[in-house]
Amino acid sequence: MTRAKLDKQPHEVASMFDDVAAHYDLTNDVLSLFQDRRWRKEVARAVDARPGQTVLDLAAGTGTSSMAFVESGAYVVPCDFSLGMLKEGKRRHPWLPLTAGDATRLPFRDDAFDATTISFGLRNVQDTDAALRELYRVTKPGGRVVICEFSHPTWAPFRTVYEEYLMRALPPIARAVSSNPDAYVYLAESIQSWPEQRELAGMLQKAGWSKVAWRNLTGGIVALHRGVKAL
């Protein structure tokens, strides 16, 4: 079984997600105590996809996150780096236009999408700045980006409890429910090394996004960042 390291070599990250594809959504439900379903709903509200709009759902995995955009009447393109995740997604949703793509070199033309979004995937990209620039490139002027990513609780006592969960409780739970528990050791380490909310907002601004804002979910375990591509 493959476990990526914090240098996030693309072939290691892709292979790691290939290994966990079959049980990925179930494992996420269990490890998040089913909070991941609430987080996906908040992403859908923030994206606010409308009938006829085009949405890029980057790091879409098996396509679970894309279903809310389909239900809104938008045309959604689920895109992921892991062929194993895409294969599982095609088995479940054969009609979805699942697309293989690297977040740092997206296979789409400039100004292609009304909205772009990535949930729990930006943290796994080796070059975060390049991914933010690519999302900007493929978004239409006046379009929006929504990033949902694990972050850092803002209340110190809760942060301590959460970090204890990540490093002590999460690995044994992952061993019980995941086909590749080592992947969830990487998960814990990558969350701890990820930029805090304000720093990620600054990276979005540096990539060209305007009206950048964020709000915390579940006390800051997750943060939703938003931005707009100026007209």
Side-chain angles (χ1 to χ4, degrees):
M1 293 293 182
T2 302
R3 172 193 163 187
K5 296 181 284 293
L6 290 182
D7 62 358
K8 301 174 186 177
Q9 293 295 321
H11 68 283
E12 292 183 353
V13 173
S15 180
M16 180 181 70
F17 280 100
D18 290 346
D19 287 344
V20 301
H23 302 105
Y24 180 74
D25 294 317
L26 173 62
T27 303
N28 286 347
D29 280 346
V30 173
L31 293 180
S32 71
L33 306 178
F34 294 90
Q35 288 295 299
D36 61 319
R37 300 185 181 191
R38 175 186 164 231
W39 298 333
R40 281 198 298 270
K41 289 180 181 178
E42 293 297 333
V43 171
R45 290 193 188 99
V47 171
D48 192 26
R50 309 287 177 83
Q53 290 188 334
T54 54
V55 178
L56 171 63
D57 186 14
L58 188 56
T62 62
T64 298
S65 59
S66 300
M67 299 311 295
F69 308 124
V70 172
E71 292 166 3
S72 74
Y75 178 77
V76 59
V77 178
C79 181
D80 202 278
F81 191 57
S82 163
L83 297 182
M85 296 288 269
L86 293 171
K87 182 179 178 180
E88 179 66 20
K90 183 59 73 173
R91 185 186 69 80
R92 299 182 192 181
H93 314 292
W95 45 272
L96 275 178
L98 291 145
T99 303
D102 183 338
T104 64
R105 295 185 299 275
L106 291 172
F108 308 110
R109 61 178 174 79
D110 296 356
D111 306 333
F113 298 96
D114 295 291
T116 54
T117 184
I118 180 170
S119 294
F120 308 111
L122 188 61
R123 190 187 73 261
N124 300 315
V125 179
Q126 188 176 44
D127 189 339
T128 305
D129 291 322
L132 293 175
R133 290 193 299 268
E134 276 292 271
L135 286 167
Y136 186 87
R137 179 184 67 79
V138 302
T139 303
K140 295 178 181 179
R144 59 220 182 264
V145 68
V146 174
I147 296 170
C148 182
E149 188 53 87
F150 288 112
S151 197
H152 302 278
T154 54
W155 187 45
F158 180 47
R159 185 168 184 162
T160 299
V161 171
Y162 175 61
E163 289 178 349
E164 284 290 309
Y165 168 75
L166 282 178
M167 301 312 297
R168 296 180 183 272
L170 187 146
I173 296 173
R175 282 194 292 272
V177 299
S178 173
S179 57
N180 183 3
D182 283 348
Y184 291 88
V185 176
Y186 160 81
L187 170 72
E189 293 175 347
S190 65
I191 291 171
Q192 288 192 315
S193 65
W194 184 243
E196 295 200 357
Q197 292 89 322
R198 189 174 301 278
E199 183 179 353
L200 181 56
M203 294 169 74
L204 276 158
Q205 292 169 329
K206 181 181 176 183
W209 296 98
S210 61
K211 299 181 181 178
V212 173
W214 77 87
R215 66 186 179 94
N216 292 316
L217 303 177
T218 319
I221 287 177
V222 165
L224 273 183
H225 283 71
R226 287 172 285 185
V228 174
K229 182 172 179 176
L231 291 170

